[in-house]
Amino acid sequence: MIRLYDRELSGNCHKIRLMLSLLGVEYEKVTVDTPNREHKSPQFLKLNPLGQIPVLADEDIVIRDSQAILVYLARKYGTEEWLPLYPESMAKVMQWLSFAANEINNSVFIARLYFRFQMDVDWQAAQIRSKPILNIMNEHLQNRNWLELEHPTIADIACFPYIGLAPEGKIDLEPYPHVIAWIERITQLPGYVNMPGL
Ligand SMILES: N[C@@H](CCC(=O)N[C@@H](CS)C(=O)NCC(=O)O)C(=O)O
């Protein structure tokens, strides 16, 4: 049985919950008590020395990092469509995984940390950084339904939660209509599951 070390309000964890649900893969959720710093306990650090969730354990295979877990699930449990092997297609999907881990993480994600969790972060700088990021996505999505290829891939799943949660970081999505349409498209996928704030 797959175990997901998880927390309901984590968008990084939600990427994995969403992917598992879209693939119809059963799993067990293990809620990590982050308010009491269970993620920094010696026991948890054995699973992920970075002390972060999500972590996925598939029998004795343990993977950290939401992007890496999406790659694992797509290759192990998905059809090739979720992560194509053709060099150009694969690289185009991977560039959005990197975008999720870097650009999205350093903008909309940080702004939400302040407004949703009252964390001591530079939310003004994060909000300023969000604008070009959302503009890039909006322009890119102007003439297409999905971030790459003609169908959803793990690129969409990796970018979706924190873009959808941007309003929780007091970032208005209204100036980005193609991003809003893409969010709605994702919510209509068979097997879609929601999280609070989306
Ligand atoms: N690159 C990691 C980032 C994971 C991450 O930032 N997780 C947060 C919860 S959403 C966490 O565990 N934060 C605690 C910490 O960094 O100490 C991923 O994509 O999974």
Side-chain angles (χ1 to χ4, degrees), residues 52-102:
Q52 292 180 329
I53 50 171
V55 171
L56 185 114
D58 189 358
E59 306 295 341
D60 57 348
I61 299 171
V62 178
I63 316 276
R64 65 165 187 260
D65 186 277
S66 54
Q67 282 63 239
I69 298 170
L70 289 176
V71 167
Y72 176 78
L73 292 175
R75 298 305 315 149
K76 178 128 191 214
Y77 297 103
T79 58
E80 183 146 327
E81 292 208 332
W82 287 104
L83 178 59
L85 291 175
Y86 180 70
E88 180 186 350
S89 311
M90 191 178 199
K92 286 196 162 158
V93 169
M94 295 305 293
Q95 70 189 0
W96 290 106
L97 300 196
S98 182
F99 186 85
N102 186 13

Side-chain angles (χ1 to χ4, degrees), residues 10-12 15 39-40 51-54 65-67 109 162:
S10 158
N12 282 319
K15 297 175 196 176
H39 55 313
K40 304 297 178 190
Q52 292 180 329
I53 50 171
D65 186 277
S66 54
Q67 282 63 239
F109 171 88
Y162 287 112

Side-chain angles (χ1 to χ4, degrees), residues 96-108:
W96 290 106
L97 300 196
S98 182
F99 186 85
N102 186 13
E103 281 79 7
I104 292 178
N105 197 67
N106 288 317
S107 57
V108 286

Side-chain angles (χ1 to χ4, degrees), residues 94-139:
M94 295 305 293
Q95 70 189 0
W96 290 106
L97 300 196
S98 182
F99 186 85
N102 186 13
E103 281 79 7
I104 292 178
N105 197 67
N106 288 317
S107 57
V108 286
F109 171 88
I110 302 277
R112 177 173 176 261
L113 287 184
Y114 178 80
F115 290 103
R116 185 72 179 76
F117 302 104
Q118 293 75 49
M119 286 176 73
D120 183 18
V121 291
D122 188 349
W123 60 272
Q124 283 110 329
Q127 285 191 341
I128 290 167
R129 282 198 297 272
S130 301
K131 287 187 184 172
I133 300 309
L134 285 160
N135 269 326
I136 286 168
M137 291 189 82
N138 197 52
E139 271 182 37

